[in-house]
Amino acid sequence: MAQVPQTFFDALAVRTWCGLALETLGRAREEIDAINVYPVADGDTGTNLYLTLESAVAAVEAVFVGHAAGSPGAEGSGPKEPTLADAARAMAHGALIGARGNSGTILAQLLRGMAQVLADGASVQADGTSVHADGQGLRLALRHAADSARQAVAHPVEGTVLTVAAAAADAADAAGGAESDCGNVARAAYEGAREALAATPDQLPVLERAGVVDAGGRGLVAVLGALVETFTGERPRGPVTSAGRVPGARGSGPGAGPGTGAGESAGAHARVESVESLAEPVPACTGPGEGSDSASVPGQGGAGLVPACADPGDSADSVTAPGQDGPAFEVIYLLEAEDDAVARLRERLDVLGDSLVVVGGDGLWNVHVHVDDAGAAVEAGIEAGRPYRIRITHFGVGDVHTTGAERPPRERAQRAVVAVVPGEGLAGLYTEAGATTVLARPGEPPASGELVQAVRRAHAHEVVLLPNDADLRHTAAAAAEQVRTEGVRVALIPTRSAVQGIAALAVHEPERRFDEDVVSMTSAAGATRYAEVTVAERQSWTMAGICQAGDVLGLIDGDVAVIGSDVTATAETVLDRMLAAGGEMVTLVLGDEAPDTIAEHLEGRVREGYLAVDTVVYRGGRQGSLLLIGVE
């Protein structure tokens, strides 16, 4: 369906732009990942940009849904459509909290810079609400975005996304007088960025040697292309060929191939959300004619484009190999802190490592740095304020990007299980059982891109996907659909709780035929009733009556069935109701804040009141609920 162009930059234009940009990055993600050689050749720039923008899209959609929920014409219900300020600020906040990697963090600051101008400089109504921005407003937004992103990077380097952003702003400034509309400004910015992208290999030697343009800059050009489509209804010409060079640029053409970037927190007030290993982020570098299956690019007739490798004899400014010439860890966290404390944090982290980017403001920041001492980087955050959602990625010695052509591509497994789990304890349990896990933090469900990443990480021909949450079913379906286009056979089992996933995993047999295995796992999950015990955050109507903030809630199969004041007593009532319908096995998964004696009490209750029923207890960690219960 043809895109209806937007005349002004209003809330709907923000929504449209974000959606189109996400689609564009989705199409270009693999290409961008493949040309990622700077600052670290970890092959994830396209994916990080996609996940960052996916978070922005979710935030914008939430604003529109929230406004639409008001009754039309009801007194005090407010406007049915959000203002430009609402949508722009949501976009910036979503990108900030969801930023991934060096490139995603810079993109978040670019969006924040634009949002600040769009929200503050838009045309206003008599009641003071912002309506829209015109071409002049878009020019100012692009300029502020480029300037603020450069300021966020400790040591800006030319030939990167910062150069491309500055060129886009320069071209927008030269787009014409005050009468220039948003479409003209967006098109000028896109063409300026496109030309700057072509020149990045001339500015950064590592790109020149690899025969590629900057991956982050390529991603920004894709985002600006979506901006053009938003205001003109036309998709602009593509900026990069499959060989990784702009058409007509020096080195482009048939002979130019693309190139291809565990710590722990050291304080009681910070928690590491995930520690990842970058095993196989990109296909291994191989010689001519090798690796065509793992490195082929869709649409290229299966020619098998192979990532370029830096020559071992290259100088020190070649592709950074973590653990050899560069830091061993990437550390990212959100930080609640005052401006003065963040200024001191920048100075300390700048001494500890490189690739330092600190973005945000108004008390909330996203911190990204590459270091050898991950604990020290987290400690610095603790001294500055309250760090959370801490992610530490180890650039392992055995990773593709650290070993060059010495490591052959890992052979695909026949079958794998990918599961979303709500706590660190369950993640360990699932991992021991052979599953690839995605950690769902309380209140922060994973995006479809994270599930796609996990499926790719599983590296199997066949994958069974367990969302373990009813609200994640559509997200998981979208992820499954995407990876099916990559040739992976995926079966989605609609598990609604982690205890159903445990039951499914218990009967998983990789040696069986795929269909038989899926049927068996689905049957086991469906035969498991699930419940949880949690604490109400606010007053609410429920199936069991009105609950108040602080009440203990017992939910059975997703509905509130018990409202109580004591955790153990409520859990016992829930368990009795579940076992009244029969059962042979009870699974208890304890959260960090569950009472110490609750497991022993419930085990005793089952032992005394229900013959021939076994009980198994697991520690789930910080899983959001005090207790998960499964009855099979």
Side-chain angles (χ1 to χ4, degrees):
M1 180 180 296
Q3 175 63 43
V4 178
Q6 302 294 311
T7 305
F8 294 103
F9 214 136
D10 57 9
L12 182 58
V14 173
R15 186 188 202 183
T16 302
W17 177 37
C18 288
L20 289 173
L22 187 64
E23 292 176 9
T24 304
L25 283 175
R27 292 191 298 267
R29 182 195 55 75
E30 289 185 356
E31 175 194 338
I32 297 172
D33 281 347
I35 65 173
N36 173 202
V37 299
Y38 183 86
V40 176
D42 50 0
D44 63 358
T45 291
T47 300
N48 286 337
L49 289 170
Y50 182 89
L51 293 175
T52 301
L53 198 55
E54 188 174 45
S55 181
V57 168
V60 172
E61 288 301 315
V63 167
F64 272 84
V65 170
H67 279 73
S71 301
E75 183 177 352
S77 63
K80 290 192 63 179
E81 294 291 335
T83 65
L84 172 57
D86 293 332
R89 288 169 181 154
M91 171 186 72
H93 181 74
L96 178 67
I97 65 174
R100 297 298 187 91
N102 186 74
S103 55
T105 307
I106 293 174
L107 176 61
Q109 188 65 8
L110 287 167
L111 296 179
R112 177 180 170 81
M114 289 191 69
Q116 288 174 322
V117 173
L118 294 173
D120 296 338
S123 300
V124 296
Q125 299 183 115
D127 62 1
T129 58
S130 57
V131 180
H132 63 252
D134 55 13
Q136 175 67 8
L138 179 55
R139 275 200 297 271
L140 294 173
L142 290 167
R143 169 55 60 195
H144 185 62
D147 291 345
S148 61
R150 185 170 289 269
Q151 293 167 5
V153 177
H155 300 286
V157 175
E158 297 306 325
T160 64
V161 62
L162 299 177
T163 306
V164 176
D170 291 342
D173 286 340
E179 294 77 18
S180 249
D181 62 21
C182 288
N184 291 334
V185 173
R187 186 178 285 107
Y190 176 80
E191 292 299 335
R194 186 174 179 273
E195 292 176 8
L197 179 65
T200 55
D202 300 327
Q203 298 171 297
L204 205 54
V206 63
L207 301 179
E208 173 66 24
R209 279 191 297 275
V212 297
V213 295
D214 179 66
R218 169 66 181 91
L220 178 58
V221 170
V223 172
L224 291 174
L227 189 64
V228 174
E229 189 174 356
T230 297
F231 292 114
T232 68
E234 301 174 358
R235 185 178 299 174
R237 55 178 175 164
V240 178
T241 68
S242 61
R245 301 301 291 267
V246 174
R250 177 175 53 80
S252 65
T260 17
E264 54 185 291
S265 64
H269 302 291
R271 179 185 299 274
V272 176
E273 298 287 7
S274 65
V275 178
E276 304 171 6
S277 173
L278 293 185
E280 294 257 319
V282 292
C285 298
T286 58
E290 299 177 18
S292 60
D293 288 341
S294 60
S296 61
V297 177
Q300 301 304 313
L305 299 175
V306 181
C309 296
D311 189 304
D314 283 346
S315 59
D317 63 349
S318 62
V319 178
T320 300
Q324 297 177 2
D325 295 330
F329 298 97
E330 178 185 60
V331 178
I332 305 175
Y333 49 79
L334 291 178
L335 177 70
E336 294 178 356
E338 300 297 326
D339 290 2
D340 292 344
V342 172
R344 293 190 296 271
L345 174 65
R346 289 179 191 268
E347 294 177 0
R348 179 165 181 195
L349 292 179
D350 194 24
V351 174
L352 288 175
D354 59 27
S355 295
L356 173 60
V357 185
V358 181
V359 305
D362 302 321
L364 180 62
W365 309 82
N366 191 306
V367 180
H368 170 280
V369 67
H370 294 174
V371 294
D372 281 320
D373 190 343
V378 175
E379 281 287 359
I382 295 172
E383 292 178 6
R386 187 180 78 89
Y388 61 103
R389 288 187 62 178
I390 301 166
R391 298 176 183 272
I392 299 174
T393 299
H394 182 209
F395 299 125
V397 175
D399 291 342
V400 167
H401 57 281
T402 67
T403 57
E406 297 176 3
R407 183 182 177 203
R410 177 164 59 101
E411 183 178 353
R412 282 186 180 272
Q414 181 58 36
R415 189 175 307 160
V417 176
V418 173
V420 179
V421 290
E424 299 91 340
L426 279 177
L429 174 67
Y430 272 73
T431 300
E432 288 178 6
T436 298
T437 61
V438 178
L439 189 62
R441 293 164 291 277
E444 299 171 6
S448 64
E450 293 179 82
L451 302 187
V452 170
Q453 273 190 305
V455 172
R456 294 191 183 113
R457 196 165 68 244
H459 204 59
H461 294 290
E462 302 167 339
V463 171
V464 179
L465 186 55
L466 306 175
N468 290 339
D469 186 334
D471 292 336
L472 286 178
R473 182 171 182 177
H474 294 301
T475 300
E481 189 64 29
Q482 182 173 341
V483 294
R484 286 186 185 116
T485 65
E486 302 173 10
V488 180
R489 188 181 185 187
V490 182
L492 171 60
I493 298 179
T495 48
R496 293 172 289 176
S497 170
V499 291
Q500 289 189 323
I502 291 173
L505 200 55
V507 299
H508 169 54
E509 291 186 15
E511 295 78 17
R512 278 192 299 219
R513 290 179 56 251
F514 185 65
D515 292 339
E516 293 177 355
D517 197 26
V518 170
V519 168
S520 177
M521 294 176 71
T522 302
S523 177
T528 303
R529 300 187 68 199
Y530 64 97
E532 67 175 299
V533 177
T534 188
V535 176
E537 296 181 353
R538 64 185 67 86
Q539 184 186 59
S540 181
W541 289 88
T542 75
M543 297 287 290
I546 301 176
C547 70
Q548 305 295 328
D551 282 349
V552 181
L553 306 180
L555 290 82
I556 300 177
D557 294 336
D559 293 323
V560 176
V562 180
I563 300 175
S565 57
D566 179 76
V567 174
T568 301
T570 302
E572 181 177 330
T573 301
V574 169
L575 185 57
D576 284 340
R577 291 193 183 185
M578 296 178 74
L579 287 173
E584 300 175 354
M585 168 74 75
V586 172
T587 300
L588 304 176
V589 183
L590 308 181
D592 276 348
E593 298 181 1
D596 294 335
T597 59
I598 190 170
E600 181 180 353
H601 179 87
L602 293 178
E603 284 184 289
R605 173 63 180 161
V606 173
R607 188 168 50 250
E608 295 171 4
Y610 303 93
L611 297 177
V613 177
D614 296 323
T615 305
V616 60
V617 180
Y618 301 110
R619 295 282 175 179
R622 196 163 69 96
Q623 61 186 23
S625 301
L626 298 173
L627 176 68
L628 298 177
I629 304 174
V631 174
E632 302 174 45

